[in-house]
Amino acid sequence: MHREPKLERFNESVLSKYQVYNSIFLTLPFDDISKTGSLLPLFQEICEAGFKDNKNPSEIIENFFSKYQDDPSEEDQISLLFRFIQYIERQVVLFDAIEDASFTTVNNMDGRGTLRNVKEEAEAKDKVPQLREYLKRFNVRPTLTAHPTQFYPGAVLGIITDLDKAVQKNDITLIKKLLAQLGKTPFFKKEKPTPYDEAVSLIWYFENVFYQSVSKIYNYIQQNIFDGEDIGNQVINLGFWPGGDRDGNPFVTTEITLKVAQRLRSTILLNYYRDLRALKRRVTFNEVDVIISEMETPLYQSAISKTGKIKMSLEDFKSKLYQIKDIVEKKHQGLFVEEINDLINKVNIFGYHFATLDIRQDSGKHAEVLEEVIKTHPEIFPKNYASLSTEEQIEILTKAEGNIDPDKYEDGITKSTLSSIYAMQEIQKKNGENGANRYIISHSEVPQSILEPFAFLKLCGWKKPTVDIIPLFETVPDLKASPDVMETLYNNPVYREHLKRRGDKQTIMLGFSDGTKDGGYLMANWSIYKAKEMLTEVSRKHGIKVVFFDGRGGPPARGGGKTHQFYASLGSGIENEEIQLTVQGQTISSNFGTRDSCRYNLEQLLSSGVSNEIFSQDKNQLTDEDRETMTNLAEISYKTYTDFKQHEKFIPYLEKMSTLKYYSKTNIGSRPSKRNKSAKLNLDDLRAIPFVGSWSQLKQNVPGFFGVGTALEKYEEAGEFEKVKHLYNNSVFFKTLLENSMMSLTKSFFALTNYMEKDKEFGEFWKIIYAEYKRTHAMLLKVTGYAELMENQPAGKASIQARERIVLPLLTIQQHALRKVQELQEQGKDAEKMLEVYEKMVTRSLYGNINASRNSA
């Protein structure tokens, strides 16, 4: 059957439908926003024409009001701009719903990167036995993180889901009603969400999306690749950070951790209960009906128990399901055995934990805890501990044991850290070991960074902790030091014995977010790549299987972009039997927001690992010359980015000209935007989300490209550009990096801030950014041979352009408001009231742009 190109499918199924449904939305008669819908398209035209004529945002807005309004007061102007913001936010939701509804039409669900494609390729190449063997040990673990950058209220999420279904059915009447509902539903919260609120919002995706999608993938593998036999491996595991991630979040408490774990358990049990009820309607045979009836009540009581009391153990639940299957196969001709198998598979995958709740804390906080424990427990730690050598400190840490009572400490970091370990023990008792068996240490710099929490585990009565200790290496120096740190740990007999009990497996987390903020785009990615190679080598030497957990954000600047291409590009020098990565913000809703998109993107991740192992024939190994080229490019880029970051106007520019300080006012996440409370902005303490997000709001996307153009240009000037082309043509890794950087450039729009060129304080600084943008743009086209950015991803580019067009009026309003804020701040107390209004306008304008970008921060 003929299939239209992806771009045509996108244009027909998404763009055309959006134009139709948006026209309906714009003409809805809302009492409180009369005429706004008819004025917004006119404002859109004025914005587009204005930026082409090099006008600044304030001039564009003045032009609009003079042309279409009869001398409105400032109050009337402000009112209409706020109504525009409300409309644009809802246009973004409409576009999201249409794109989600058209997912299976736009994407080939059986095409490249899907399990069906993998199976057929394995059959064609006679590699089915190798595929089976690999799937017995290969796992993918998406981990939903504790800092969502998209935080729609539950009511809006419900409307999006209903719109998705209505669009698929082309039910115009229902769509019109839902759009009317959307227009009257509040979009933002007046108060910040708690970590528990965040958890509940994200557990929705587990309950309604992942539960079904993951089991479908598992069932497909079992039936079509293993011919119905037991795989002996979960294949997909789920991870979860809300309520467990303490790094920089003072609002995560032990009580919240336990509450989130209970919510995960009750959610999965209720899902099982619903499936059991559905099974009861089908498996109505002798013997079986009695067993199911006996299971119903204890399972439901376990699900709704406020104390967390389990009336039916996981082992008993599994045993009864296998008993039902056995009876049906032997006495009832296997009728509905597929449905029974489906529930058995779900229970084997999700257990009573649903997802593993990771605990994370910063190494600096552990140092504070240790300092206090030393004071109160001289029998464990000598008073001169701090002055001892590294070797002596390591020996003390590995031998530490005890039963320290957290309640003997005053409320603070020591009490909360130690009580979190006791919480892990409690969660493991109720949810199973997988409920909470990972402890992650941010800013791991030395062996002691990892051994301090290891000691705390044993000081909380856990002589043989059933916990994986996971160091997180992020900055360029930490990545370089990571192999030596792990070598020291592997050589330590106590820690080595711990790893032996954990199956000779060591998980290591590598952070793209702070890595990019610290070292720039090319250096961060290359440093992580090299660190993986060296960590693989040192781990293999000690007989340890290393598992890499990638701390990825949504945009390319934070390790996002085309992640499946990245994983498919790794050679045999990097261990890849598991793909673990964080997923957050708009990436959750855009990649995993529906069952179809979730299944498709999980299959893409699975196939990337399979492709790298089974089909690649080590095509992804870099030659010595390519490595030298990559290293030089990274070094040049690093110096360029570092010099830029050290520019005297770098921090002031972010503070005065961007939306940085407004991120903490948006109420979309529970964490503070900085790790400390100091009044002065320090780049090291600044979170990656507001850092990258602020550049995104400016439409400058600096972290995704700065230094790339200069590095490529240096090779051109030296007459060695062929080396760069050779690297691009022979390395999928490098090709993926450049293509993701292209995405950052595609989402940039310097006409928006062109007025800054004439700013007395920041004009020269803006010119530096713009010059690097133009340089990178030209160099990327030269090395790829493309005529335009993202030429090989026309549908993806069309989606970006459509979204950027929707939010252009919003960005214009935001920049206008920022300019007004600067003017009013100079007027002092007399302008305080109006200053508050325009600052609110800046904050409100953040939401729509964040959500529209889908991977903006």
Side-chain angles (χ1 to χ4, degrees):
M1 186 178 79
H2 173 69
R3 190 172 173 85
E4 295 173 324
K6 190 172 183 178
L7 178 59
E8 288 184 26
R9 300 198 302 272
F10 176 83
N11 288 337
E12 289 176 11
S13 301
V14 180
L15 285 186
S16 297
K17 284 185 179 178
Y18 173 73
Q19 288 163 4
V20 171
Y21 298 145
N22 185 48
S23 64
I24 295 172
F25 176 59
L26 290 174
T27 54
L28 288 173
F30 297 124
D31 296 335
D32 57 336
I33 45 178
S34 175
K35 296 183 181 178
T36 307
S38 58
L39 287 171
L40 183 54
L42 300 174
F43 181 50
Q44 172 105 36
E45 289 177 10
I46 291 285
C47 289
E48 290 173 356
F51 286 121
K52 283 180 182 176
D53 292 340
N54 205 27
K55 294 185 182 298
N56 71 49
S58 297
E59 289 172 335
I60 290 169
I61 287 175
E62 287 166 12
N63 185 25
F64 168 76
F65 282 115
S66 66
K67 191 170 183 178
Y68 294 108
Q69 298 276 283
D70 185 17
D71 194 25
S73 65
E74 185 174 13
E75 188 177 309
D76 289 338
Q77 291 183 31
I78 289 169
S79 176
L80 182 59
L81 292 177
F82 270 113
R83 297 202 303 268
F84 279 160
I85 291 171
Q86 288 179 281
Y87 253 85
I88 295 163
E89 285 174 336
R90 286 153 178 79
Q91 285 179 313
V92 171
V93 169
L94 175 60
F95 193 87
D96 282 349
I98 293 170
E99 198 162 37
D100 287 344
S102 307
F103 190 88
T104 56
T105 303
V106 175
N107 296 279
N108 186 351
M109 301 300 285
D110 293 321
R112 188 169 179 79
T114 63
L115 282 174
R116 179 174 174 177
N117 177 257
V118 166
K119 172 182 171 283
E120 289 174 352
E121 188 173 354
E123 289 172 342
K125 294 180 178 178
D126 200 24
K127 289 194 172 186
V128 173
Q130 293 97 311
L131 176 61
R132 285 180 183 163
E133 193 57 39
Y134 187 60
L135 288 173
K136 285 180 182 177
R137 61 181 194 275
F138 178 63
N139 285 284
V140 167
R141 181 196 292 259
T143 297
L144 305 196
T145 64
H147 34 239
T149 51
Q150 181 184 61
F151 205 77
Y152 286 132
V156 176
L157 281 173
I159 296 170
I160 292 173
T161 302
D162 293 341
L163 261 176
D164 179 338
K165 293 175 183 174
V167 169
Q168 286 187 47
K169 295 175 182 177
N170 201 29
D171 187 338
I172 299 292
T173 304
L174 180 57
I175 289 169
K176 195 170 182 178
K177 285 183 178 179
L178 290 170
L179 290 175
Q181 181 188 358
L182 190 66
K184 292 175 175 287
T185 302
F187 256 55
F188 66 99
K189 293 179 177 290
K190 293 181 180 178
E191 296 179 357
K192 274 185 175 291
T194 67
Y196 183 71
D197 293 332
E198 290 177 326
V200 170
S201 292
L202 295 187
I203 288 172
W204 183 93
Y205 290 100
F206 283 160
E207 179 180 6
N208 295 285
V209 180
F210 282 87
Y211 181 71
Q212 300 293 347
S213 300
V214 170
S215 65
K216 276 191 175 181
I217 290 172
Y218 190 91
N219 293 343
Y220 181 90
I221 293 172
Q222 186 180 54
Q223 294 303 319
N224 295 280
I225 298 176
F226 284 82
D227 299 325
E229 295 175 12
D230 183 33
I231 301 172
N233 179 36
Q234 290 176 308
V235 184
I236 298 173
N237 308 296
L238 300 178
F240 203 61
W241 274 19
D245 180 13
R246 287 159 164 72
D247 178 20
N249 192 340
F251 308 114
V252 175
T253 64
T254 301
E255 182 186 3
I256 285 176
T257 300
L258 291 169
K259 199 175 171 184
V260 170
Q262 183 170 332
R263 181 64 177 243
L264 284 164
R265 182 178 65 250
S266 64
T267 302
I268 191 61
L269 289 176
L270 281 172
N271 275 22
Y272 292 157
Y273 175 73
R274 294 186 196 105
D275 278 4
L276 192 68
R277 293 276 297 174
L279 196 62
K280 185 180 181 182
R281 294 186 63 180
R282 294 289 170 264
V283 189
T284 52
F285 321 132
N286 286 336
E287 292 185 68
V288 175
D289 57 344
V290 176
I291 298 171
I292 290 182
S293 295
E294 289 174 350
M295 295 168 71
E296 263 188 284
T297 302
L299 186 62
Y300 183 69
Q301 288 176 342
S302 299
I304 64 169
S305 171
K306 291 183 180 179
T307 61
K309 190 171 183 180
I310 302 297
K311 300 281 187 176
M312 179 189 289
S313 70
L314 177 62
E315 291 70 25
D316 193 23
F317 186 34
K318 283 184 184 179
S319 175
K320 282 181 164 51
L321 287 175
Y322 279 111
Q323 188 181 351
I324 290 169
K325 179 183 176 182
D326 187 56
I327 293 170
V328 167
E329 285 181 333
K330 288 179 178 176
K331 298 183 179 181
H332 303 289
Q333 294 78 47
L335 196 58
F336 296 116
V337 76
E338 293 86 1
E339 285 82 350
I340 301 168
N341 260 332
D342 178 57
L343 183 52
I344 288 173
N345 288 341
K346 286 172 178 171
V347 175
N348 283 328
I349 294 167
F350 303 120
Y352 274 10
H353 64 286
F354 211 162
T356 300
L357 183 60
D358 289 349
I359 307 297
R360 182 171 77 134
Q361 184 56 281
D362 188 87
S363 62
K365 297 297 182 184
H366 292 144
E368 291 179 34
V369 174
L370 183 61
E371 197 175 321
E372 195 164 350
V373 171
I374 289 170
K375 291 177 186 175
T376 54
H377 289 276
E379 76 281 6
I380 301 173
F381 296 98
K383 290 183 178 179
N384 67 336
Y385 174 85
S387 62
L388 297 176
S389 68
T390 296
E391 291 76 16
E392 290 170 321
Q393 289 183 352
I394 287 174
E395 186 171 355
I396 291 168
L397 288 170
T398 53
K399 290 184 177 178
E401 286 186 2
N403 280 284
I404 296 178
D405 184 357
D407 291 330
K408 289 187 177 178
Y409 295 91
E410 293 182 11
D411 286 339
I413 191 63
T414 302
K415 183 175 181 178
S416 65
T417 299
L418 296 177
S419 63
S420 72
I421 293 170
Y422 283 103
M424 291 180 79
Q425 296 177 39
E426 186 176 338
I427 293 167
Q428 287 198 10
K429 286 176 186 174
K430 291 181 177 178
N431 292 23
E433 186 197 304
N434 288 327
N437 65 350
R438 290 151 57 95
Y439 197 110
I440 301 164
I441 307 106
S442 301
H443 290 114
S444 293
E445 298 173 340
V446 292
Q448 292 94 312
S449 301
I450 296 99
L451 291 175
E452 283 167 5
F454 179 60
F456 298 156
L457 291 170
K458 295 195 293 176
L459 286 169
C460 292
W462 222 340
K463 290 188 177 180
K464 294 181 178 179
T466 48
V467 174
D468 294 325
I469 312 294
I470 304 175
L472 166 53
F473 302 108
E474 287 193 269
T475 65
V476 174
D478 289 351
L479 288 165
K480 287 180 179 176
S482 61
D484 291 334
V485 170
M486 297 313 300
E487 177 82 49
T488 301
L489 292 175
Y490 292 157
N491 281 323
N492 182 275
V494 177
Y495 190 78
R496 185 67 186 82
E497 182 61 29
H498 167 72
L499 286 181
K500 189 176 181 181
R501 291 196 302 271
R502 302 301 296 162
D504 286 324
K505 184 182 285 188
Q506 172 69 57
T507 303
I508 297 174
M509 189 172 182
L510 303 165
F512 285 78
S513 300
D514 280 349
T516 305
K517 180 164 71 78
D518 173 60
Y521 181 69
L522 282 185
M523 178 58 87
N525 281 278
W526 182 232
S527 295
I528 289 170
Y529 187 94
K530 288 194 297 181
K532 284 186 175 182
E533 287 184 322
M534 292 185 288
L535 289 166
T536 297
E537 184 181 355
V538 71
S539 300
R540 286 173 177 172
K541 184 177 79 174
H542 287 272
I544 293 163
K545 184 74 69 177
V546 67
V547 174
F548 294 115
F549 178 21
D550 290 325
R552 293 178 171 275
R558 297 183 55 234
K562 299 292 182 181
T563 50
H564 57 276
Q565 287 179 220
F566 174 85
Y567 287 113
S569 72
L570 305 177
S572 61
I574 293 176
E575 203 73 73
N576 70 329
E577 285 195 0
E578 290 192 33
I579 290 176
Q580 297 189 10
L581 72 164
T582 54
V583 188
Q584 67 189 53
Q586 309 95 320
T587 314
I588 296 172
S589 56
S590 62
N591 289 359
F592 304 99
T594 67
R595 292 176 187 178
D596 289 326
S597 65
C598 181
R599 182 176 178 183
Y600 179 84
N601 284 297
L602 284 176
E603 286 191 18
Q604 292 288 318
L605 285 172
L606 276 167
S607 71
S608 68
V610 170
S611 172
N612 195 25
E613 177 75 15
I614 308 296
F615 305 133
S616 73
Q617 297 175 335
D618 239 5
K619 293 174 186 173
N620 297 317
Q621 290 296 90
L622 293 167
T623 65
D624 290 342
E625 184 182 12
D626 284 342
R627 294 183 76 86
E628 184 182 352
T629 303
M630 186 69 231
T631 300
N632 289 337
L633 288 170
E635 292 289 352
I636 297 166
S637 175
Y638 180 58
K639 185 180 186 311
T640 306
Y641 175 77
T642 303
D643 289 346
F644 171 67
K645 197 171 63 170
Q646 291 171 351
H647 193 288
E648 63 178 357
K649 296 300 180 185
F650 187 88
I651 295 294
Y653 182 80
L654 280 174
E655 287 185 301
K656 294 182 183 179
M657 307 301 280
S658 83
T659 57
L660 181 65
K661 72 176 183 179
Y662 298 95
Y663 264 81
S664 60
K665 300 177 182 180
T666 54
N667 296 336
I668 56 174
S670 70
R671 293 198 309 178
S673 58
K674 296 193 297 180
R675 280 189 170 92
N676 66 28
K677 296 179 181 178
S678 64
K680 188 177 179 182
L681 179 62
N682 183 310
L683 192 59
D684 291 336
D685 293 326
L686 183 63
R687 290 266 172 208
I689 284 178
F691 176 74
V692 175
S694 296
W695 291 112
S696 173
Q697 294 282 330
L698 283 168
K699 287 297 153 189
Q700 293 175 1
N701 291 323
V702 160
F705 72 81
F706 203 94
V708 176
T710 296
L712 295 174
E713 189 178 65
K714 290 286 184 187
Y715 266 78
E716 182 190 46
E717 290 172 349
E720 296 183 319
F721 203 70
E722 284 305 313
K723 289 183 178 180
V724 177
K725 283 191 171 181
H726 185 273
L727 175 62
Y728 177 79
N729 291 325
N730 288 277
S731 169
V732 180
F733 167 74
F734 185 60
K735 185 176 287 189
T736 303
L737 285 187
L738 295 195
E739 288 182 356
N740 282 341
S741 189
M742 279 191 188
M743 188 186 294
S744 292
L745 293 178
T746 303
K747 291 185 176 185
S748 298
F749 182 60
F750 277 83
L752 179 71
T753 56
N754 198 38
Y755 70 90
M756 294 182 188
E757 183 179 10
K758 297 173 185 175
D759 188 272
K760 289 180 181 178
E761 184 178 0
F762 297 108
E764 293 305 313
F765 187 75
W766 183 91
K767 288 177 186 176
I768 292 172
I769 301 170
Y770 185 46
E772 184 63 14
Y773 162 80
K774 289 195 294 183
R775 186 181 296 116
T776 306
H777 187 287
M779 288 292 102
L780 286 179
L781 292 183
K782 183 167 184 176
V783 73
T784 59
Y786 294 165
E788 58 182 31
L789 297 175
M790 294 183 69
E791 186 179 291
N792 66 328
Q793 299 172 51
K797 184 175 183 177
S799 176
I800 290 171
Q801 289 174 331
R803 290 172 177 279
E804 296 296 309
R805 187 168 189 270
I806 291 170
V807 296
L808 183 62
L810 187 69
L811 292 165
T812 308
I813 293 169
Q814 183 184 91
Q815 283 297 316
H816 167 67
L818 281 169
R819 286 166 59 86
K820 293 292 287 186
V821 165
Q822 290 169 12
E823 286 177 22
L824 294 166
Q825 282 173 337
E826 293 176 3
Q827 295 175 23
K829 286 190 175 181
D830 295 339
E832 279 184 359
K833 190 174 180 182
M834 290 307 296
L835 179 63
E836 188 178 331
V837 170
Y838 279 106
E839 286 196 322
K840 182 183 177 184
M841 190 179 288
V842 174
T843 304
R844 288 286 287 111
S845 66
L846 285 171
Y847 293 90
N849 188 38
I850 288 172
N851 292 332
S853 297
R854 283 208 154 182
N855 64 3
S856 65

